[in-house]
Each structure stands twice: as structure tokens, then as C-alpha cells.
Amino acid sequence: EYFVGNSGSEHSSRTKNTAWVDLSFELRGEIARQAHDQFHHDWEFAMSGRAAEMQSPIPVPVEHAAPTVQLVPSGPDQSDDTVYALLISSLFAAQTRIIAVSPYYVPDPSLQMALTLAARRGVEVDLVLPHQSNHKMADIARSVSLRELAASGARVWLVPQMVHAKAIVIDYGFAMAGSANLDERSLFLNYELMVGFYEPEVIEQFAQWMLALRQRAGLYQPHRPGMLREMGEGFVRVLAFQL
């Protein structure tokens, strides 16, 4: 059994207006052992610069395997940006809906393009974010991208509380949840662990959780920034990898 989530005083606060909104789930069976091994593999690499030997190598799904759940790690010890590649390819292939929740939204051009193009071709795109996150600079950096999303027809929802959940549902056949944010630092630099889900019932559970969260949110209304604000946003955006 392997628990995927976060711990800390901010997550467990009993004050309704300050407690963080988060998402956690349990993995059991072989996928839990893989997650356990991946954690120790990442830890060893981070501490010593050497990759630890995996006790049970993570299998690469083949066409006939039809997996219902798949571990998707990323980080400096991975030869490929698997989380990013899976995310981008799935977004470009979306046909009906994209529902995503993240604490931060500082996308690279490809991620931004994938979402805006999806909205323009008629896919229902809903992005759920905190109205104000715990990183002021990230909130400033996201402004340009949010205005572009809104202009493309995507809907951005702002939750009053700090949202720390990271999950995405694409159509009715794929969902991914875990630790990766929708920002460049998380997708390209950090050690992250996402889990891909392919079982329709589980996918819909994630979708309904995010839609319920959306009910508590207000719809983002873009406003044209003044010149000083626009310059500030551009300056902060240059520092995106540091956020």
C-alpha cells in the first residue's frame, strides 16, 4: 500500500478559510511496490548523484497489455520527460473534455498551445486554480497565460482557498494525478511522480471531484492590464523556471 498526497500544518488546519484543498489516493498491489522503489531510486540519485538499482523495474506498457493504472515518474534521473510527453500528446488528442486542477499555472509554449487549440476546436476546457496561491510571483506570472486561455474559449475557475491538488482528466479514457504542477519547473526540473489511470470508473471519480471543486469557484474574468502591470508580468515570466 502506498499513499500519494501531502502532509503539513497547512494541509491539516481546522480553520475552514485557511486549510488547503488537496487530493490524495492510495495505490495497492504491484503499482504500490513500483512507487516505493521509484521513491528510493529518486532519493538515492538526489543524495549521491547515482541511480539506485530498482527492485522491480517499471514495465513499459505494450499495446496488448491494456493497463488500468501506470506509474509515470519524471525528474533529473529520467532520460525522458515522460510526464510532459504524455500530457502534451494527450491534450492534442483530446476530443470532448479536459478538466485540470493545479496550484500553479506557468506553462511552457507547447502546453499553452495544446490547451488553447483544444478549446478552439470545441473541446470543453476547464482549469481549476486557487484564486490566490501561496506563491505571489507565480500568480503574477500566470496572468498572460490565463488571458490567452479565456480568449480561446477555455474556462478558468478560481477557488477561494489554496488548492494544492494536481490532476487532469482528458475525455473519458485517461486521467493523471500526483505531484506535478502545470508549470515549467515542476514538469522539467523537479522530481515528480504521477499516476495514469485508464479505468472509466476511476477516471469519472477524479472528474466528479474536480467538478465539485469547480462549484465552489468563481469564473475568471480577464482584464486588460496597464502598461506597468504588463511589463511586470513579462519580467516575472522570464523567471518562470525559478517559481
Side-chain angles (χ1 to χ4, degrees), residues 24-217:
S24 61
F25 52 91
E26 292 182 355
L27 302 175
R28 298 182 180 181
E30 179 59 25
I31 191 74
R33 179 175 176 178
Q34 293 174 13
H36 174 273
D37 292 350
Q38 185 64 51
F39 174 83
H40 287 283
H41 175 84
D42 289 348
W43 184 272
E44 178 69 20
F45 188 88
M47 298 300 293
S48 67
R50 300 188 306 273
E53 182 178 352
M54 302 288 283
Q55 295 181 28
S56 53
I58 297 176
V60 178
V62 294
E63 292 184 5
H64 64 271
T68 59
V69 63
Q70 174 187 5
L71 208 66
V72 192
S74 69
D77 56 340
Q78 301 294 317
S79 58
D80 299 310
D81 294 315
T82 310
V83 169
Y84 179 76
L86 182 57
L87 175 62
I88 295 297
S89 61
S90 299
L91 291 175
F92 276 117
Q95 297 295 315
T96 56
R97 66 174 181 175
I98 297 170
I99 313 170
V101 59
S102 178
Y104 322 110
Y105 185 69
V106 190
D108 77 310
S110 294
L111 176 54
Q112 180 73 354
M113 181 185 296
L115 286 171
T116 55
L117 288 181
R120 292 187 188 280
R121 67 174 186 268
V123 177
E124 291 189 359
V125 178
D126 288 283
L127 175 62
V128 183
L129 304 169
H131 184 272
Q132 181 176 329
S133 77
N134 61 324
H135 289 296
K136 179 64 175 177
M137 298 288 278
D139 292 346
I140 295 174
R142 75 185 186 182
S143 299
V144 175
S145 299
L146 295 189
R147 290 196 295 270
E148 291 179 352
L149 274 181
S152 73
R155 294 176 295 192
V156 179
W157 304 89
L158 302 178
V159 181
Q161 291 85 17
M162 169 57 187
V163 177
H164 199 244
K166 301 103 172 180
I168 186 166
V169 168
I170 299 173
D171 294 337
Y172 295 86
F174 179 66
M176 190 160 57
S179 67
N181 306 306
L182 294 179
D183 64 48
E184 294 179 83
R185 182 180 181 87
S186 184
L187 291 171
F188 295 114
L189 296 179
N190 292 351
Y191 293 90
E192 305 290 4
L193 186 61
M194 298 292 281
V195 181
F197 299 90
Y198 301 88
E199 188 174 345
E201 182 179 351
V202 175
I203 293 167
E204 195 57 31
Q205 288 177 352
F206 279 111
Q208 290 304 315
W209 185 87
M210 288 187 279
L211 292 174
L213 184 61
R214 191 187 70 177
Q215 295 297 318
R216 301 160 49 182

